[in-house]
Amino acid sequence: MLEYVTDAADPRLTDFTRLRDVELRKSLEAERGLFMAEGEKVIRRAVGAGYPIRSVLTTRRWLQPLADVLGDATVYVVSDEIMTATAGFQVHRGALASMARLPLPSTASVMESADRLVVLEDIVDHANVGAVFRCAAALGVGGVILSPRCADPLYRRAVKVSMGAVFSIPYARMDNWYTGLDELRAAGFQTLALTPDQSATPLDEVKLGDRVALLLGAEGDGLSSRWLHEADEPVCIPMSPAAMDAGVDSLNVVAAAAIACHGLMRGRR
């Protein structure tokens, strides 16, 4: 159903307002049970993963490219100027879809369905979370577990950076960070804590078990001392000695995640 809107303050558009206001969006999206999909490819992937469309904001020229995926969803058609005024930035990908969230699976069900997991502790940057999801999905990891304070994978920035990979890999959020590793261990997972400490075992030298969970820590500080010491084994990505001498002693969390996910899947391809 098409509805033509000529005022950015129209209350019908409130799902799409001030998309760069992080605190407002976190509150609004939690209250309404929605998330934002930006661009044709991401909208298609969200719909394909079973997320219902609440409504769509787009311009006339994007109606035809999206026609086959929108079905009977409410579509608000606006000018480029109204689109920019509503979202708070120029939407280069032509369309925004307000999607209804689905209930998250339990950590137990994600653990049951996978033999390789990535577990994220307190990664709070949405772009980093989205990029880690993309690495994990691309390299065949079976699921992602989030500590309670991790950023929301369905926040617009995370979805955009992941190019919709957040829809293709099962994930769950821990109820209790303090006992999180106990739950993994009880499910039969070998827990490997990734650290920049070069005295740890190189990841490519670790004997991987049948079920392995790779722990990745927050930007800057890395894993908490509790998780680092309670994991079965600390592991590292070996750094060039010349780089170490020059003061380059670690990788950012996304680069580390890509290399570590590749190593985690050793022998699985």
Side-chain angles (χ1 to χ4, degrees), residues 5-257:
V5 180
T6 57
D7 184 356
D10 192 304
R12 290 175 292 179
L13 305 186
T14 53
D15 276 6
F16 305 95
T17 56
R18 294 165 59 187
L19 295 183
R20 284 185 169 163
D21 186 331
V22 177
E23 294 307 314
L24 169 70
R25 294 304 306 184
K26 287 195 293 187
S27 173
L28 182 149
E29 293 180 16
E31 176 186 324
R32 299 186 181 183
L34 65 88
F35 69 92
M36 197 60 50
E38 181 181 348
E40 180 187 358
K41 288 183 180 179
V42 172
I43 293 170
R44 287 183 182 279
R45 289 173 183 172
V47 171
Y51 290 94
I53 297 176
R54 287 167 52 95
S55 60
V56 175
L57 180 67
T58 190
T59 57
R60 287 178 182 270
R61 70 175 177 271
W62 281 93
L63 288 176
Q64 187 56 42
L66 285 166
D68 64 304
V69 76
L70 297 182
D72 58 358
T74 298
V75 180
Y76 299 118
V77 185
V78 297
S79 65
D80 290 334
E81 292 75 20
I82 298 297
M83 174 79 87
T84 299
T86 302
F89 62 94
Q90 189 171 358
V91 182
H92 296 289
R93 289 173 173 82
L96 296 164
S98 173
M99 313 293 299
R101 289 176 182 255
L102 300 175
L104 280 182
S106 66
T107 53
S109 67
V110 172
M111 292 176 192
E112 183 180 356
S113 67
D115 58 16
R116 293 290 186 271
L117 293 175
V118 167
V119 186
L120 306 184
E121 183 191 37
D122 296 355
I123 297 181
V124 297
D125 184 278
H126 293 99
N128 284 346
V129 167
V132 171
F133 265 75
R134 188 171 183 179
C135 294
L139 293 166
V141 173
V144 178
I145 304 291
L146 309 172
S147 75
R149 293 191 298 183
C150 267
D152 177 14
L154 293 185
Y155 187 77
R156 179 184 64 88
R157 180 69 174 158
V159 173
K160 181 179 178 181
V161 169
S162 80
M163 283 301 295
V166 294
F167 309 134
S168 65
I169 183 168
Y171 73 93
R173 192 175 290 274
M174 289 177 171
D175 293 325
N176 190 329
W177 163 88
Y178 196 77
T179 60
L181 297 195
D182 294 335
E183 189 177 355
L184 284 162
R185 209 169 280 118
F189 280 91
Q190 172 190 10
T191 54
L192 302 179
L194 190 65
T195 172
D197 183 352
Q198 296 295 287
S199 68
T201 307
L203 180 58
D204 58 3
E205 295 179 12
V206 175
K207 183 178 180 181
L208 300 178
D210 291 335
R211 312 194 85 198
V212 186
L214 178 72
L215 315 182
L216 296 175
E219 304 88 345
D221 294 335
L223 287 167
S224 65
S225 58
R226 176 177 176 80
W227 273 28
L228 188 59
H229 292 114
E230 290 204 1
D232 294 324
E233 189 169 4
V235 297
C236 71
I237 297 168
M239 300 292 293
S240 158
M244 295 285 288
D245 290 343
V248 182
D249 62 354
S250 63
L251 298 162
N252 68 43
V253 68
V254 176

